[in-house]
Each structure stands twice: as C-alpha cells, then as structure tokens.
Amino acid sequence: MSDTIFSDQGVLSTPILIALVTLKGYQEYRHGNSVYIEDLAGYLAKLKKKGVNIKSIALSRTLDKYWSDDVAQFVSDGLVFGFLTHNSPLQFDERRCLEVCKNAILGEVGDNEQLQKAFNEAREALELEPFETLAA
C-alpha cells in the first residue's frame, strides 16, 4: 500500500469517514469492549497514519487521546436519533446503527469505482469486518 491512497476523486467524505469509525466502534462494542468518543477519534488517527485523507475532519490530540468535534457531534446526533443509546461508554442500537452507517456509505459510494476502492482500503486499514458479519 502506498503512502497516499487516494486521488482527489477518491477522497472519502466526512460522513463516510465518521460512518467507518462508528462501525469500528460498533465492532469493538460487539466484541465486549468499552468504546468512547475518544476511541472513534483514535480510529480517525489510525486512518490518517495509514495514508487516508481525513483533512475534512478536525482532529486534535491531548497527551494520550484524540478528539474530534465532528465525531462528538455525530455521537450527540446518534443519541437524539436513537442509533446510539448511551454516551460514555457508547452503546449502540445494533439495527439502527448498522442501517444509518450502511446507508451513509452506500448512498455516497454507490457505483463509483474510485470511492469503492478508497472505502475498501479504509475498511481494511481499520480491520473492519464486512457488513454481513457485523449484522450477524
């Protein structure tokens, strides 16, 4: 894998990036791990380290944690709209969370080959299980 994964046409949008890290959080939650907003922001940092362009999302770091106001806003919206059921640690409504994230990703990626490639490489960088596995 090269240092720069995407051309400008294959750059993942903020909603897709947030959906990806949310799915990673959901995956960790399903494996019995506690997940916090800082963990989701940390997944963004992992994507950046792997060469994924995350410039559309503000990401800051304290001594030992990452933070993103974009992710915090998404979590707040998730609590209002019901795909997250608890804030700290995060708890996910399994059906709604998958539905919201999958719709955000598929609605934008669609048949665009460059975005599909970018999405798959980002999913691989996060070691994210396929939708079918997450839904099982």
Side-chain angles (χ1 to χ4, degrees):
M1 191 180 310
S2 66
D3 288 341
T4 304
I5 294 176
F6 312 114
S7 69
D8 289 341
Q9 296 171 346
V11 174
L12 298 174
S13 69
T14 299
I16 291 176
L17 291 168
I18 291 177
L20 277 164
V21 299
T22 301
L23 287 171
K24 177 64 174 177
Y26 172 74
Q27 177 178 299
E28 293 300 313
Y29 169 78
R30 286 205 41 187
H31 289 276
N33 299 314
S34 296
V35 179
Y36 298 87
I37 293 172
E38 295 89 343
D39 296 319
L40 300 184
Y43 302 144
L44 286 170
K46 182 175 183 175
L47 287 173
K48 182 178 180 181
K49 184 177 180 181
K50 295 282 188 169
V52 176
N53 181 342
I54 66 159
K55 291 180 183 175
S56 65
I57 298 179
L59 185 65
S60 60
R61 183 177 176 153
T62 62
L63 291 175
D64 63 341
K65 296 179 185 174
Y66 288 93
W67 182 260
S68 169
D69 288 336
D70 295 316
V71 171
Q73 181 61 52
F74 181 78
V75 168
S76 177
D77 292 346
L79 292 167
V80 170
F81 293 109
F83 54 90
L84 292 170
T85 60
H86 194 267
N87 188 17
S88 189
L90 298 175
Q91 293 179 4
F92 301 82
D93 177 295
E94 295 183 20
R95 184 188 60 80
R96 286 283 299 140
C97 181
L98 287 175
E99 179 183 311
V100 167
C101 292
K102 188 174 181 178
N103 288 341
I105 292 165
L106 297 179
E108 191 166 327
V109 172
D111 293 332
N112 183 313
E113 288 182 27
Q114 289 178 316
L115 287 178
Q116 286 176 354
K117 182 178 183 220
F119 169 76
N120 287 330
E121 289 176 344
R123 188 185 60 75
E124 186 178 297
L126 288 175
E127 300 172 6
L128 185 60
E129 298 168 358
F131 287 124
E132 299 77 25
T133 304
L134 292 171

